[in-house]
Amino acid sequence: MSYLQNWFSAGTATPPSSSGSDQKNKRTIPGSFVVEDEHDDGSETETEDDLPPAFPSLSSAQRASAPAPANDAKIPTVPSDSMLMPPPPIPSPANATSSSLRSSTRVASSSLLAPLATTQRPPKPSKKVALAPGFGPLDWAKLKSSGEDLRGVDTLLRVPPSVLKSHNKKQDAWTAINGKVYNITPYLPYHPGGEKELMRVAGRDGTKLFSLTHAWVNVDFMLDSCLVGFLAPEPSS
């Protein structure tokens, strides 16, 4: 219990008395702190500046370990417009025409790319026929999503031109577009141009006629459910 008595006696010890002049400006309260006079006019701090203290401190270990700044260090500058790369020159009509011809020649000379096509509508629009009720574009989309077999084959085939040529009847019509062979028999009554127009490509490669009439149509999406296989060369004898 002796250490508790020492702790209480130390906590309640009164501060030492001040001189007579200090007693006028300070009031002591029994305890361990001193309250300054409420009538302080701030004359003691009027000569101090309002600058914040240096961080890190001037005598800190961080400032002592930091490398000294180089005298020849240059401040990075933002490049002006004259220092940047100039924009490319505007091509003239003659250069644009020659570059398009060169690109078309490269495409035409490559045997691995699809034949040339266009995304612009032809100047003379194709003729459309009146379709029977229930054979519009929405009806064709509904038929594709119904799960009905529109291919007519169990697996994808390699179709040589001789085999493709034999499928040229209305009840059994195949065609090849961009190297893919489609069974167009179920699509005949849904064709906006009529069955007769679509039968022009039955039994043969219809890529050229398709590109000339409506190359902007996405045939891969339109006839994806009718895909039979891929056009292949004739087998060697």
Side-chain angles (χ1 to χ4, degrees), residues 56-209:
S57 179
L58 298 177
S59 59
S60 62
Q62 290 87 346
R63 286 185 178 272
S65 61
N71 296 330
D72 56 347
K74 296 182 179 180
I75 301 176
T77 57
V78 179
S80 59
D81 294 341
S82 60
M83 300 172 60
L84 299 176
M85 180 181 295
I90 301 176
S92 62
N95 295 336
T97 305
S98 60
S99 60
S100 62
L101 290 177
R102 287 194 300 268
S103 61
S104 62
T105 304
R106 288 195 301 268
V107 173
S109 61
S110 177
S111 58
L112 300 179
L113 299 178
L116 294 177
T118 179
T119 57
Q120 298 179 356
R121 294 179 179 270
K124 184 178 180 181
S126 58
K127 297 181 180 180
K128 294 185 179 182
V129 299
L131 300 175
F135 291 94
L138 296 179
D139 300 303
W140 173 248
K142 183 178 180 180
L143 178 62
K144 288 200 310 175
S145 60
S146 64
E148 183 178 346
D149 182 19
L150 304 178
R151 304 177 189 269
V153 295
D154 297 332
T155 183
L156 296 179
L157 308 174
R158 291 173 56 89
V159 184
S162 58
V163 177
L164 178 63
K165 187 177 180 180
S166 62
H167 297 272
N168 57 355
K169 304 296 188 295
K170 185 177 180 180
Q171 294 76 17
D172 182 20
W174 290 6
T175 188
I177 301 176
N178 296 334
K180 297 181 180 180
V181 180
Y182 300 97
N183 179 18
I184 59 175
T185 302
Y187 185 66
L188 285 174
Y190 296 88
H191 185 240
E195 297 182 7
K196 183 178 179 180
E197 190 70 18
L198 187 57
M199 284 298 297
R200 293 174 58 188
V201 297
R204 66 186 185 92
D205 192 343
T207 303
K208 183 177 180 180
L209 183 59

